[in-house]
Amino acid sequence: MELTKTTYKTSFLEKLSVERIKVELLRTAYGHSLTFLSKFDPRILIAWYSFFAIVPWFVHNKVVLLGMLIAIAILTYTSKPSILVLLILALGLVSDAAYMLVISLLFGGGLSAAWALSTLTLKLLVIALASIAVFSSMDPEKLSDGLLSLGFPAQFSFGVAYGYRMLPILIEEYNNILYSYRLRGRGPERKGFLGWRVILYTGKLSVVAFYPLILNTAKRTRTTVEALEVKGFTYAMKDPKVKKIKLSYLKILPRDYVFLAITVVYVSLLFYIGSHYHL
């Protein structure tokens, strides 16, 4: 029994460690190559995501929003998202729902007002799950090339891919800075009521560690820019021949058109049903 408790505590602490967070973020950032959405062209996925990131803001029918949510939830499941990202989403959803319920009760609105405000929660949930489904299925290189092919500036497209690649480095460096502060610093001798001194000390270290992190990031960025300029990055990105060679692997196949057609039919059916039924 004691062994079981110890094993459970250890595994729980491992899940909360910075290293575990870094691994989960890497899984999210670099995507999965064997998911359903990863088979499609990145330009199609960007267009699909743009629709579900904009249209829900103009939809107020809960039937349509619920239909979108069901379909996107299935696609999100097939994308094998990180548990950490899903936990953050669930925490935000629960806090948002609790906030709306408390506000509606305080101002005398009751559950009917909370139900009316739940439309916003559905919209946010649809957009959030669409983001997780798409960006968990695309590698940074595909996302960058898709943006470049759609006419976005080369610097912006490269910045997106560079940001993905810098993410694990920044997390690891931030972790090392925290360790160095803990080794050279002195923690509180007494924890205080509910450990408030430890929480305050940890929060202070977390904030202070950002300053050397920003400085080190600026140095790394400058080194990267100088290395790219030496290799002719700016000239290469403006050359149509280089751009054509770089994007030659992007091809819109019949399955991409089928995916878009199914999406259009499904959304049209949702709007048709929503025009006859309301929640």
Side-chain angles (χ1 to χ4, degrees):
M1 185 66 179
E2 293 295 331
L3 181 61
T4 306
K5 290 183 178 180
T6 305
T7 305
Y8 173 76
K9 290 180 180 179
T10 304
S11 60
F12 182 72
L13 291 175
E14 287 178 355
K15 292 180 180 179
L16 294 180
S17 64
V18 178
E19 186 67 24
R20 179 66 178 180
I21 294 175
K22 183 179 72 173
V23 172
E24 294 293 337
L25 289 176
L26 279 173
R27 287 182 55 199
T28 303
Y30 285 89
H32 304 272
S33 58
L34 298 177
T35 60
F36 174 74
L37 292 178
S38 64
K39 301 176 182 178
F40 301 106
D41 188 90
R43 294 167 292 183
I44 298 297
L45 292 180
I46 292 173
W48 183 87
Y49 167 71
S50 300
F51 175 83
F52 285 101
I54 298 175
V55 172
W57 292 112
F58 303 96
V59 177
H60 305 284
N61 191 311
K62 287 188 176 65
V63 175
V64 178
L65 292 174
L66 283 173
M68 290 182 178
L69 179 61
I70 293 173
I72 294 177
I74 296 174
L75 291 176
T76 304
Y77 177 78
T78 60
S79 299
K80 303 176 183 178
S82 168
I83 298 178
L84 176 64
V85 176
L86 293 179
L87 286 177
I88 295 174
L89 176 62
L91 180 62
L93 180 63
V94 171
S95 61
D96 184 53
Y99 163 76
M100 289 190 299
L101 179 61
V102 171
I103 293 298
S104 61
L105 292 177
L106 287 177
F107 288 92
L111 296 178
S112 59
W115 174 250
L117 292 173
S118 63
T119 305
L120 177 61
T121 304
L122 286 175
K123 294 179 180 182
L124 295 176
L125 192 56
V126 169
I127 297 170
L129 288 180
S131 304
I132 295 174
V134 171
F135 295 111
S136 295
S137 302
M138 277 196 297
D139 294 330
E141 192 68 26
K142 284 188 176 182
L143 177 59
S144 175
D145 292 341
L147 293 174
L148 184 63
S149 178
L150 291 174
F152 284 82
Q155 289 78 5
F156 176 79
S157 302
F158 172 77
V160 172
Y162 182 73
Y164 273 99
R165 292 187 177 92
M166 284 294 292
L167 183 63
I169 299 175
L170 292 179
I171 296 175
E172 185 174 0
E173 190 163 354
Y174 182 72
N175 193 23
N176 293 334
I177 294 173
L178 280 179
Y179 284 153
S180 64
Y181 273 117
R182 289 178 180 176
L183 288 174
R184 290 180 291 180
R186 182 180 180 182
E189 295 180 358
R190 298 180 180 179
K191 294 183 179 180
F193 181 70
L194 296 178
W196 71 270
R197 288 191 175 91
V198 177
I199 297 174
L200 183 62
Y201 175 75
T202 305
K204 181 180 178 181
L205 287 185
S206 301
V207 174
V208 172
F210 271 103
Y211 294 99
L213 177 66
I214 294 173
L215 179 61
N216 294 339
T217 304
K219 292 180 179 179
R220 289 178 182 271
T221 304
R222 181 179 178 180
T223 303
T224 304
V225 170
E226 291 176 351
L228 289 172
E229 290 301 326
V230 169
K231 295 181 179 180
F233 170 77
T234 303
Y235 174 78
M237 287 292 100
K238 293 181 179 179
D239 191 345
K241 295 181 180 178
V242 176
K243 183 178 178 180
K244 183 178 180 181
I245 295 173
K246 179 178 176 61
L247 304 178
S248 59
Y249 75 97
L250 295 179
K251 295 180 181 179
I252 299 180
L253 301 176
R255 63 188 178 191
D256 298 310
Y257 293 110
V258 171
F259 176 67
L260 286 182
I262 293 175
T263 302
V264 170
V265 171
Y266 181 76
V267 173
S268 302
L269 183 61
L270 286 179
F271 278 101
Y272 175 77
I273 296 175
S275 63
H276 292 80
Y277 299 96
H278 299 273
L279 290 177

